[in-house]
Amino acid sequence: MSDIRGNLKINVIEPPNYEYLTCQFTRINSKGHSACSIYIAKKGIYTIQITPKYLNHTIKLISNTKYLSKNTGYCYQEVQTPKSNLSDLISQFRGTNWLSILKSTYDRRWPSGAMLVRAQENDPYFSQFIDKTSFRKMAESLMVAIHEETHMYDLDYKRTDWEQNLTGFVNQHWQPKVPIHKGFPRKEIIPLIEGNATKSWDDIYLRDNVQGNYLMQGVLSELNAGLMGLAGVGIVGEFVDGYGASNARDSAAAYMYHLLLYLRHAKTNHPSYYTKINNEKLFKDFVLIQWLRLHYYLEFTKKFSKLDTHSAEITKLLYRPYNIEAIENITGHSLLLDNYKNCLPEYDPFEPPF
């Protein structure tokens, strides 16, 4: 063993009950053969680094896998490379070339966003949502721009049967056409609202004379657009220095809160409608993915204070037992409520539909 140097990668899939991250090789016979036993409690991919010494050698395991301190099942994730350098694109920004710069930015950092932008690049309204003053201002305007272009994609008449099916651009691999079976006016959930944390969104989407009468289509479309808007600005969050996206995290959480209240109200007051959506596997999977996706984005963007006003107050509402019960009932899955909210428990089998 004294001549061995270098690294070896191992993938641990069935962990025993103990873990020692370092140990000493022990000489076990006169020929110099050594042995070392390592017990690993955490799943994941590790690099083994061997430091040779005379007779005894030190072995160290270094984790290459995120979230190894808890065993989990399926976790929602996306292909993202937030550290990709954009300095050349920033220097090339001229306002008039905003679309090509945006596509190149997302190509490097967020393929799902790049796919949406290309799908919508001919929308005549797209340009109106973009601040072309500078790259930083464009980055700040992406919360609204991607939110609105997600609406334009999802609600296009070629993709969506209004009030019957909602097409949702979730990521580059999945744009499902989700059966929603109409529903009831979303303003009916107003009595279930607790406190004033979501008042801005309640006033716009529930108390407005027009918006308040939208059915499940309105609830889910706002949630999907809000999630895309958060991801769209979050992937360039370090360039946001103003207030144009200061409620990105709050908005996504507020839209989820509306959905949870809608599900609670449906089960209690519209049982026949609840039965319809509860019999649609695609609907159930869509709701589950949106919950996991929300928390994936919240974790990813938590370092950007400019994207947040008081999302913590809103997320507290999401975790009230009766609201958690609402989403667990409709999805048929248990949720993790610690640091792994974008994951399902280890022994809760789920195969994503994409």
Side-chain angles (χ1 to χ4, degrees):
M1 293 294 293
S2 60
D3 294 330
I4 294 180
R5 295 174 181 269
N7 296 334
L8 173 69
K9 285 188 177 181
I10 60 172
N11 186 9
V12 179
I13 58 174
E14 291 294 339
N17 296 322
Y18 304 95
E19 174 182 27
Y20 299 95
L21 291 182
T22 62
C23 73
Q24 296 291 318
F25 279 98
T26 303
R27 184 172 180 174
I28 60 175
N29 60 32
S30 60
K31 295 182 179 180
H33 293 161
S34 302
C36 180
S37 296
I38 302 173
Y39 301 93
I40 305 170
K42 301 172 184 177
K43 291 182 180 180
I45 298 175
Y46 291 80
T47 296
I48 299 177
Q49 293 185 343
I50 300 172
T51 304
K53 293 182 180 179
Y54 179 69
L55 294 181
N56 292 335
H57 314 290
T58 301
I59 185 169
K60 180 179 291 186
L61 275 74
I62 300 175
S63 167
N64 294 331
T65 305
K66 193 176 181 181
Y67 296 148
L68 287 177
S69 61
K70 187 178 182 70
N71 295 332
T72 63
Y74 170 75
C75 297
Y76 181 85
Q77 294 178 316
E78 288 186 28
V79 176
Q80 293 181 329
T81 52
K83 294 183 180 180
S84 294
N85 190 295
L86 303 177
S87 57
D88 58 321
L89 299 180
I90 294 171
S91 66
Q92 295 167 21
F93 187 86
R94 297 293 182 270
T96 54
N97 64 348
W98 69 269
L99 182 58
S100 63
I101 295 294
L102 177 56
K103 287 189 286 188
S104 296
T105 296
Y106 281 169
D107 279 337
R108 295 183 190 182
R109 291 194 169 191
W110 184 38
S112 291
M115 180 177 173
L116 176 67
V117 169
R118 286 185 166 84
Q120 294 300 111
E121 63 183 326
N122 294 322
D123 175 20
Y125 299 101
F126 200 161
S127 175
Q128 298 179 23
F129 303 127
I130 297 292
D131 188 332
K132 308 172 190 65
T133 308
S134 66
F135 183 91
R136 285 184 173 273
K137 287 297 183 182
M138 181 188 75
E140 185 175 317
S141 68
L142 289 176
M143 183 198 83
V144 173
I146 298 302
H147 179 117
E148 296 301 334
E149 287 307 315
T150 301
H151 276 320
M152 297 293 190
Y153 181 99
D154 290 357
L155 300 178
D156 188 292
Y157 73 92
K158 296 188 296 294
R159 301 187 181 95
T160 293
D161 302 323
W162 187 257
E163 305 297 8
Q164 294 296 331
N165 297 282
L166 169 73
T167 295
F169 190 103
V170 174
N171 56 46
Q172 67 188 114
H173 305 294
W174 201 42
Q175 304 90 45
K177 192 170 185 177
V178 183
I180 53 177
H181 300 291
K182 294 188 177 180
F184 51 88
R186 57 184 172 182
K187 64 184 178 183
E188 290 186 23
I189 69 175
I190 291 175
L192 298 179
I193 295 169
E194 297 180 77
N196 295 312
T198 59
K199 185 177 186 304
S200 297
W201 296 271
D202 304 337
D203 289 344
I204 295 172
Y205 300 105
L206 306 180
R207 297 189 177 98
D208 179 81
N209 289 335
V210 175
Q211 293 263 15
N213 286 306
Y214 287 178
L215 312 183
M216 178 62 90
Q217 187 104 33
V219 177
L220 286 184
S221 64
E222 288 303 334
L223 172 59
N224 198 53
L227 291 174
M228 287 296 290
L230 174 58
V233 71
I235 202 66
V236 288
E238 74 269 36
F239 300 105
V240 176
D241 53 14
Y243 299 95
S246 61
N247 65 353
R249 287 164 53 85
D250 309 59
S251 294
Y255 298 138
M256 178 61 73
Y257 182 54
H258 284 176
L259 173 59
L260 300 186
L261 299 187
Y262 199 91
L263 293 171
R264 283 173 53 196
H265 189 73
K267 187 174 183 181
T268 302
N269 298 282
H270 299 274
S272 60
Y273 174 68
Y274 187 85
T275 298
K276 287 181 180 179
I277 57 175
N278 198 34
N279 286 332
E280 295 285 1
K281 185 179 185 303
L282 184 55
F283 178 89
K284 295 154 73 76
D285 287 352
F286 184 74
V287 170
L288 177 63
I289 290 296
Q290 298 295 61
W291 172 272
L292 301 178
R293 185 178 169 218
L294 166 67
H295 291 91
Y296 175 75
Y297 292 154
L298 288 178
E299 177 66 22
F300 175 75
T301 59
K302 67 181 183 181
K303 60 187 174 184
F304 300 125
S305 60
K306 295 293 179 65
L307 304 182
D308 198 300
T309 303
H310 58 261
S311 68
E313 295 179 39
I314 302 174
T315 53
K316 285 180 182 178
L317 297 173
L318 302 182
Y319 310 139
R320 298 285 171 83
Y322 34 84
N323 291 330
I324 293 299
E325 182 183 23
I327 192 167
E328 288 185 336
N329 283 344
I330 197 70
T331 64
H333 292 275
S334 299
L335 303 177
L336 293 177
L337 298 177
D338 50 20
N339 294 327
Y340 312 92
K341 298 185 185 75
N342 68 307
C343 299
L344 292 176
E346 182 180 16
Y347 299 109
D348 188 352
F350 175 71
E351 288 293 331
F354 52 87

